[in-house]
Amino acid sequence: QKEVEQNSGPLSVPEGAIASLNCTYSDRGSQSFFWYRQYSGKSPELIMFIYSNGDKEDGRFTAQLNKASQYVSLLIRDSQPSDSATYLCAVMDPGGGADGLTFGKGTHLIIQP
Amino acid sequence: DTEVTQTPKHLVMGMTNKKSLKCEQHMGHRAMYWYKQKAKKPPELMFVYSYEKLSINESVPSRFSPECPNSSLLNLHLHALQPEDSALYLCASSRGPGADTQYFGPGTRLTVL
């Protein structure tokens, strides 16, 4: 059974600070990792994807992947109140087939003005 | 353009009704997905279509019947649903099997009375 673990929070961060979100996964063969943001009542919106060990930066967002330790993280710099949402970590199964995503339960992030 | 559209946005149905959810994308994607999301839970994979063929059925009850008429359209036919089937139904698409990013539609909020 594939598992993706996230701290459900809520994680409260002051405006302007760095928010750090973490995720671990159980299947060592997993290859592709995604962070989605979901506002209440809305559908998931892709924030970042990462395939290789190390860091990947896109604007205020940085995804970090460590396959040896089986964890993925998302850093949000200069946090804004509009970043308040649930952040879902998702893992795509290995094997190359048209597999779906396995999601973690999500971390509820609150940016305090 | 990374748009996936879903209709209707909201649906209320009785347990004896038959209804259908529709999903459409014009990005040339060849893999399409149905997910179910209950309140405060992550999305759960239901079905995967790859090149218009059903490739994954995650042991979904037969009262849910998927259909992929062509590469741009995905339907979910509903019949004799139960109140516990009330949820947000999300459609997603990606370029193809084992490909990268899945893009989600806005979802259909289903209520079964």
Side-chain angles (χ1 to χ4, degrees):
Chain A
Q1 179 73 17
K2 299 175 287 291
E3 293 185 353
V4 180
E5 300 286 342
Q6 293 181 257
N7 187 326
S8 61
L11 174 64
S12 186
V13 174
E15 183 177 357
I18 296 175
S20 178
L21 306 166
N22 300 313
C23 170
T24 59
Y25 59 95
S26 63
D27 192 335
R28 186 170 290 277
S30 297
Q31 298 292 327
S32 306
F33 307 88
F34 305 85
W35 284 99
Y36 286 86
R37 177 176 65 195
Q38 188 172 27
Y39 294 112
S40 180
K42 302 296 186 181
S43 66
E45 173 193 9
L46 180 72
I47 298 296
M48 296 281 291
F49 60 88
I50 187 166
Y51 306 142
S52 303
N53 276 329
D55 295 359
K56 179 181 179 183
E57 186 174 323
D58 184 1
R60 295 187 297 113
F61 300 95
T62 299
Q64 299 174 318
L65 174 61
N66 183 324
K67 290 186 178 180
S69 300
Q70 294 176 243
Y71 85 78
V72 194
S73 63
L74 179 70
L75 301 178
I76 306 175
R77 290 181 298 281
D78 188 23
S79 297
Q80 303 297 311
S82 59
D83 295 326
S84 298
T86 295
Y87 288 79
L88 297 163
C89 174
V91 177
M92 181 170 285
D93 299 329
D99 296 323
L101 295 170
T102 300
F103 286 87
K105 292 183 178 180
T107 297
H108 183 204
L109 176 65
I110 299 172
I111 306 300
Q112 294 181 324
Chain B
D1 183 11
T2 57
E3 187 177 25
V4 177
T5 60
Q6 290 186 245
T7 56
K9 290 183 180 180
H10 302 276
L11 179 62
V12 179
M13 60 186 291
M15 290 188 286
T16 59
N17 292 157
K18 286 184 181 181
K19 297 287 185 182
S20 297
L21 308 185
K22 296 185 185 300
C23 174
E24 191 167 1
Q25 56 86 17
H26 295 287
M27 297 177 280
H29 288 178
R30 303 309 300 271
M32 297 184 76
Y33 311 79
W34 281 115
Y35 289 83
K36 173 183 177 180
Q37 186 175 24
K38 302 278 283 183
K40 299 191 184 301
K41 299 290 186 183
E44 293 182 346
L45 182 67
M46 300 175 72
F47 302 105
V48 179
Y49 272 84
S50 176
Y51 293 93
E52 295 101 71
K53 287 184 170 34
L54 183 64
S55 63
I56 292 179
N57 176 341
E58 291 285 358
S59 303
V60 179
S62 60
R63 57 186 184 268
F64 295 91
S65 176
E67 178 196 19
C68 190
N70 60 56
S71 60
S72 299
L73 292 174
L74 186 65
N75 298 322
L76 186 63
H77 303 297
L78 315 172
H79 173 55
L81 295 192
Q82 304 297 309
E84 59 264 28
D85 296 321
S86 299
L88 180 67
Y89 288 84
L90 296 161
C91 174
S93 71
S94 68
R95 284 187 302 167
D100 41 18
T101 311
Q102 293 184 21
Y103 297 94
F104 283 85
T108 294
R109 176 74 61 188
L110 174 66
T111 302
V112 182
L113 301 177

